[in-house]
Amino acid sequence: MKLLALFIIVFSAFSTTLKAQEDAQTKTLFGQKEIFKNSGFMLSSNYAITSFADAHASLLSLRGGVILNKKLTLGAFYNFSLNNIQPKIETDPIIYLDYQAGGALLEYTIYSDRLIHFTFPLFIGVGQIEMDNDLGDSALGEESFLLIEPSAMVEINLHKHVRFNIGTGYRFTGPIEYRNFNQSNISGLSGYVGLKFGIF
């Protein structure tokens, strides 16, 4: 009888501990478990809509980094234009603008264990614009500049390894003097939507 009572007590304690562990796990849309508790890594791909000198631009944003304590991500990013950008201020109608940027990524995420939470990426790096045409005329040149882009995004935990995010950022650039373009023509808002994969 004493053995049975001891078994019931041990089983109850074990069940309570297991339930507490389950409650503390990251909440996801499909109810998966965590793998690592304090560190991990991520790869992210985002589609962005922005503008340069009032001309529509579609960008692809690639990001990757190491996640520390489920909050701080340290890594790198690379953004580049997907379409031929044709600003109205350009005097030559047969050429178009190409854009790319790369550098360091700092991202801070709050309440990442919750199904819906917020994350704040910060891009710090170098951007580059150049006018191009189908002939590949190298005489058109290019211009590089410093880039800082703070962003704010809403994230949803779809799965233990997948997160959906949507948000916006503002691109601040250093001084630019390239053809008819200046700093105000290249700085501007960007809207992002994408997926993040990793060990969170």
Side-chain angles (χ1 to χ4, degrees):
M1 195 68 178
K2 291 181 180 180
L3 185 60
L4 178 61
L6 180 61
F7 174 78
I8 293 173
I9 292 172
V10 171
F11 180 77
S12 298
F14 176 76
S15 298
T16 302
T17 302
L18 186 61
K19 181 64 168 60
Q21 289 177 347
E22 290 177 350
D23 291 342
Q25 288 175 350
T26 299
K27 294 177 177 62
T28 70
L29 200 59
F30 302 113
Q32 300 294 330
K33 296 180 180 180
E34 291 181 303
I35 296 178
F36 300 122
K37 291 186 177 181
N38 297 317
S39 63
F41 67 91
M42 71 85 179
L43 296 173
S44 178
S45 177
N46 287 75
Y47 173 76
I49 296 176
T50 187
S51 65
F52 296 94
D54 298 321
H56 165 78
S58 296
L59 307 180
L60 182 62
S61 177
L62 303 176
R63 315 170 191 177
V66 176
I67 304 171
L68 305 176
N69 200 28
K70 295 187 179 181
K71 296 179 179 179
L72 182 63
T73 299
L74 304 177
F77 78 95
Y78 178 60
N79 298 343
F80 60 94
S81 56
L82 297 174
N83 66 314
N84 295 339
I85 307 166
Q86 297 179 314
K88 296 178 181 179
I89 63 172
E90 176 52 50
T91 57
D92 191 341
I94 68 168
I95 63 177
Y96 52 86
L97 179 71
D98 284 329
Y99 167 81
Q100 61 180 337
L105 167 68
L106 302 175
E107 183 171 353
Y108 188 78
T109 305
I110 59 175
Y111 303 119
S112 64
D113 289 345
R114 296 183 181 179
L115 176 62
I116 300 175
H117 54 271
F118 294 93
T119 189
F120 303 93
L122 174 64
F123 305 133
I124 303 174
V126 176
Q128 182 185 81
I129 56 172
E130 66 174 321
M131 300 306 296
D132 201 356
N133 58 29
D134 294 333
L135 301 176
D137 189 353
S138 60
L140 298 173
E142 60 190 32
E143 180 72 13
S144 298
F145 49 87
L146 295 177
L147 169 75
I148 298 177
E149 183 174 342
S151 306
M153 310 185 83
V154 177
E155 277 194 336
I156 301 174
N157 294 337
L158 299 178
H159 181 270
K160 64 181 179 180
H161 298 309
V162 184
R163 293 176 177 177
F164 169 82
N165 53 50
I166 185 169
T168 187
Y170 192 89
R171 183 176 57 255
F172 296 93
T173 68
I176 302 170
E177 292 297 335
Y178 176 66
R179 295 176 68 86
N180 295 322
F181 298 93
N182 57 40
Q183 186 173 3
S184 64
N185 301 136
I186 306 302
S187 299
L189 282 169
S190 297
Y192 290 97
V193 61
L195 294 174
K196 183 185 290 184
F197 304 89
I199 305 296
F200 304 112

